[in-house]
């Protein structure tokens, strides 16, 4: 059986990375993540990402490239991450989150927010891209 994919976005805009704080489930609430969600049947990861970011945050985005790697979640699920460009909208915690923040490279380096462990490798890679590394 192949694992089901959860796709998350490293949304970049004007030198900052978008972070969202989960409001559910209880064991993940309060932790920060790259926002996203599960693929629906027939969707490509890019389509799922655009849909999830629209539903959860009210923003329009364009996936740019996949960050290499795949990270295990709960059994049967893996996390894949794409970088994405913000096209329009101001992110708001409409669904599944209770706060959003734009983090600069410096704030990322200072480890300002409590990321989900499984998101940390992709966040580090996105931070490298922000600082031009
Ligand atoms: N998830 C994660 N990291 C992300 C996005 C999601 O670990 N950046 C996990 C949390 C959930 C599962 O994927 O267990 C499905 O996400 P959601 O509840 O947002 O659909």
């Amino acid at each position: 059986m192949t694992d089901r994919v959860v796709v998350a976005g490293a949304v970049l805009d004007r030198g900052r990375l978008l972070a969202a704080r989960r409001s559910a489930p209880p064991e993940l609430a309060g932790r920060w993540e790259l926002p996203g969600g599960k693929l629906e049947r027939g969707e490509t990861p890019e389509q799922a990402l655009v849909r999830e970011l629209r539903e959860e945050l009210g923003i329009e985005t364009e996936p740019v490239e996949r960050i290499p790697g795949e990270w295990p979640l709960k059994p049967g699920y893996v996390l894949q991450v794409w970088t994405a460009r913000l096209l329009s909208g101001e992110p708001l915690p409409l669904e599944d989150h209770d706060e959003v923040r734009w983090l600069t490279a410096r704030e990322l380096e200072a480890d300002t927010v409590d990321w989900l462990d499984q998101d940390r490798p992709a966040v580090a890679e996105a931070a490298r891209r922000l600082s031009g590394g």
Side-chain angles (χ1 to χ4, degrees):
M1 258 263 311
T2 47
D3 290 327
R4 285 193 63 186
V5 172
V6 172
V7 61
V11 181
L12 303 168
D13 185 50
R14 289 175 284 167
R16 300 165 310 164
L17 172 71
L18 184 61
R21 192 172 67 187
R22 292 191 67 102
S23 52
E27 62 273 19
L28 301 181
R31 308 285 300 279
W32 292 77
E33 69 174 6
L34 300 172
K38 298 183 191 79
L39 263 66
E40 287 177 357
R41 205 172 302 281
E43 271 183 330
T44 65
E46 289 94 333
Q47 289 168 337
L49 181 62
V50 168
R51 176 183 53 74
E52 289 281 351
L53 295 174
R54 184 183 294 139
E55 288 172 0
E56 294 185 354
L57 301 167
I59 55 175
E60 295 302 321
T61 57
E62 178 187 25
V64 176
E65 59 180 341
R66 182 160 165 207
I67 292 182
E70 193 166 77
W71 298 277
L73 302 173
K74 59 194 167 187
Y77 290 87
V78 292
L79 177 68
Q80 297 182 359
V81 179
W82 264 254
T83 62
R85 213 185 334 267
L86 179 69
L87 296 178
S88 65
E90 195 60 46
L92 293 170
L94 303 175
E95 212 180 270
D96 301 338
H97 302 102
D98 60 7
E99 198 178 332
V100 297
R101 282 188 65 179
W102 288 105
L103 299 170
T104 62
R106 184 175 303 191
E107 287 170 321
L108 286 164
E109 204 170 310
D111 206 8
T112 317
V113 307
D114 184 21
W115 293 103
L116 291 175
D117 297 328
Q118 57 270 27
D119 284 36
R120 281 185 174 274
V123 168
E125 182 55 37
R128 273 193 288 279
R129 289 165 195 228
L130 267 187
S131 24

